[in-house]
Amino acid sequence: MKIARFSRIGFILAAAGSAVGLGNIWKFPYIAGEYGGGAFVLVYLFTVLLIGFSIMIAEMLIGYLGRRDTVTCFEKLAPKHKHLWKLAGFQGLAGLFIMIFYSVVIGWIFNYIVTSLSYLPASVKESEEIFTAMLHTSFWTQFFYHTLSFIGIIYVLHKGLKGGIEKLNMYLMPALMIILAAMFIYATTLDAFGQAVSFMFSPDWSKIDADAFVTAVGHAFFTLSLGMGAIMTYAASLDKEANIVKSAFWVVFLDTTIAIVAGLMLFTFLYQYGSGPAKGPGLVFISLPAAFYEMGIIGNIFAVLFFIALAFAGLTSSVSLVEPMVQYFIDRFGWSRLKATVSMGTFFWLFGIVAILSNIDGAKEFLTWGGKNFFDWVDYFTAAVMLPIGGFLMAVFVGFVIPRSEVEAVMKPQLKWAFQPWYFSLRYITPVAMFVVMLSLMGVL
Ligand code: PFF
């Protein structure tokens, strides 16, 4: 079978496209806000460097050595216990589960692109009413845009790795960066920029407790797309000469820079024109549109551009969330790409409809258990359970299961003196950290 390979820049952009998503532009600013800014940002940066970067390299290495879908990668690299380890490959399912709510949120963003063209809410109160009306009563609007997102994603995926995924990222990633850079430059000219900088970088350590620490670790995973086989699946199509460490560095660098740039920009707008930073998940859909309104006509342009950038970020991540299971059915069952894409897409499309319904008045009562609706349960289950398990398994797999000589043969020439600290961190620091995070997020600790 002839396997398509990414070009080198194509791989970096695709992996960065996976990493840079709703997590960076929507989630990072509001959780940074909730935990008081500076100190949280520093903990997050520290986690990204110490844990995220080393698992990124490990996950790329598994794909690079395995060269196939995630299940086959684990099987091939652990011949003695392949029936056990192949289960780890089913982490790819987490991507499909995440897509259940991710696609719905992309649908909201599409809706916001269209409505911001002609209208922005004049106050936070009005903005909140608009958002909650969409969430709780507009089933068909959400259904329509969720379906549009589903069609776009399967269209790109059915075009394959080079003609679909690589091409999408080659266009959307630079476009996303240009839009954010332009808005960021504008933000630097505003008085409130200094306030945003000090909010994000002057640490208030009193706000950092175990909970903040755990959130930072969990977010580092989510934002870097780790633990689910997305990066692994892409790395399986990396050319043999590629440098894993350099690629991982670029992905981590772009992901972190974009999160910080987006955070600074949003906080500047919110300080200058809006109601300040700590606004929770509604930051982008509620507080921000009202701040754009205060900017006048440039606010309309910015609103549309901002939501376009957010949609781009979401779409490039989405393809990476679905691709692992698509690849699995192609590799293991000989399905055509079209069949695999449409089937996987149909899965998240159908459950996405349930996710929409779980917010709709009249239906949500039937789709809520234990204080969380279906939408929130999927989010919680993937982030609190599947993701840390994936990270834990990958670290242990590279640290203890793949023979050290094989790991060394590829990684030592690239990491040089850093090989030993990396390997040590994979074996002893990361698995323990992941375990603690998982227990805390599940509420056990
Ligand atoms: N990294 C993406 C974000 O920050 O939104 C989300 C994501 C994509 C998580 C792909 C996991 C993944 F495999």
Side-chain angles (χ1 to χ4, degrees):
M1 180 174 40
K2 195 177 163 315
I3 299 180
R5 295 252 175 272
F6 279 119
S7 68
R8 242 168 262 179
I9 177 79
F11 173 74
I12 291 175
L13 283 181
S18 169
V20 177
L22 304 181
N24 299 60
I25 305 177
W26 163 64
K27 211 168 176 191
F28 174 69
Y30 88 71
I31 47 176
E34 273 171 8
Y35 288 103
F40 177 86
V41 174
L42 294 183
V43 174
Y44 155 80
L45 287 177
F46 183 73
T47 316
V48 162
L49 285 179
L50 192 74
I51 298 177
F53 189 39
S54 69
I55 296 201
M56 173 75 71
I57 295 175
E59 184 164 346
M60 283 187 183
L61 180 68
I62 302 174
Y64 176 87
L65 293 173
R67 313 254 100 197
R68 297 278 299 276
D69 65 278
T70 51
V71 177
T72 314
C73 278
F74 279 103
E75 247 181 26
K76 251 168 91 173
L77 299 173
K80 283 204 209 115
H81 306 284
K82 66 180 190 181
H83 295 301
L84 194 67
W85 274 106
K86 84 181 207 191
L87 297 177
F90 289 104
Q91 275 299 115
L93 282 172
L96 279 190
F97 295 158
I98 291 182
M99 275 312 293
I100 293 171
F101 67 89
Y102 217 78
S103 171
V104 174
V105 178
I106 292 177
W108 299 347
I109 297 167
F110 284 165
N111 183 24
Y112 270 66
I113 295 175
V114 175
T115 50
S116 314
L117 278 171
S118 56
Y119 187 78
L120 287 173
S123 65
V124 174
K125 189 169 170 291
E126 187 192 347
S127 194
E128 187 161 4
E129 281 162 14
I130 294 175
F131 180 70
T132 45
M134 175 192 77
L135 193 67
H136 297 313
T137 56
S138 306
F139 171 78
W140 289 110
T141 308
Q142 293 187 73
F143 173 83
F144 174 76
Y145 287 113
H146 163 58
T147 305
L148 210 62
S149 140
F150 150 77
I151 293 172
I153 292 161
I154 58 168
Y155 175 77
V156 172
L157 280 173
H158 104 280
K159 292 276 208 182
L161 192 91
K162 282 211 81 82
I165 298 176
E166 179 167 320
K167 216 168 177 181
L168 177 86
N169 281 287
M170 290 292 231
Y171 287 113
L172 298 199
M173 285 306 285
L176 161 78
M177 290 187 234
I178 291 169
I179 295 176
L180 288 183
M183 291 176 68
F184 177 72
I185 291 170
Y186 178 81
T188 59
T189 66
L190 300 174
D191 294 341
F193 184 70
Q195 251 174 305
V197 172
S198 72
F199 176 73
M200 274 186 73
F201 295 107
S202 29
D204 172 0
W205 292 107
S206 68
K207 290 242 168 87
I208 293 297
D209 52 9
D211 179 40
F213 197 83
V214 165
T215 308
V217 179
H219 184 68
F221 255 73
F222 185 82
T223 188
L224 291 174
S225 299
L226 293 175
M228 291 177 212
I231 296 292
M232 190 186 301
T233 305
Y234 280 0
S237 297
L238 201 52
D239 83 68
K240 272 286 175 199
E241 276 68 54
N243 186 312
I244 293 179
V245 177
K246 275 194 194 139
S247 310
F249 168 80
W250 275 109
V251 176
V252 172
F253 174 77
L254 285 172
D255 188 72
T256 312
T257 309
I258 290 179
I260 289 177
V261 162
L264 283 175
M265 174 188 96
L266 295 182
F267 290 136
T268 305
F269 291 160
L270 291 175
Y271 272 122
Q272 182 95 17
Y273 297 106
S275 42
K279 276 288 167 222
L283 188 142
V284 155
F285 293 107
I286 298 172
S287 322
L288 196 64
F292 281 139
Y293 172 85
E294 296 294 328
M295 290 173 154
I297 181 72
I298 194 163
N300 274 81
I301 300 171
F302 271 12
V304 174
L305 283 177
F306 174 79
F307 285 113
I308 289 178
L310 195 53
F312 285 0
L315 289 170
T316 52
S317 297
S318 299
V319 291
S320 79
L321 283 161
V322 187
E323 177 66 8
M325 287 319 280
V326 167
Q327 196 60 48
Y328 170 72
F329 280 99
I330 296 176
D331 273 3
R332 309 279 293 211
F333 295 93
W335 285 14
S336 70
R337 187 162 257 282
L338 185 66
K339 178 175 169 188
T341 343
V342 173
S343 317
M344 297 309 111
T346 307
F347 175 88
F348 78 72
W349 179 71
L350 285 176
F351 281 101
I353 296 171
V354 181
I356 295 174
L357 284 172
S358 73
N359 279 315
I360 294 285
D361 292 340
K364 66 175 184 230
E365 294 73 15
F366 303 102
L367 293 164
T368 303
W369 312 271
K372 281 192 182 40
N373 66 10
F374 178 72
F375 188 107
D376 296 334
W377 272 115
V378 179
D379 182 3
Y380 171 80
F381 183 70
T382 47
V385 184
M386 297 194 81
L387 221 124
I389 290 182
F392 175 80
L393 292 176
M394 285 173 197
V396 170
F397 193 69
V398 174
F400 294 98
V401 179
I402 305 181
R404 183 178 171 133
S405 56
E406 271 180 56
V407 177
E408 248 182 33
V410 180
M411 296 316 304
K412 204 150 188 191
Q414 294 186 24
L415 279 165
K416 305 196 174 70
W417 62 266
F419 178 82
Q420 197 49 42
W422 169 74
Y423 201 62
F424 181 84
S425 143
L426 270 192
R427 292 185 121 189
Y428 304 109
I429 301 179
T430 311
V432 176
M434 292 328 298
F435 200 65
V436 172
V437 168
M438 197 171 68
L439 293 183
S440 317
L441 283 175
M442 288 165 73
V444 178
L445 288 185

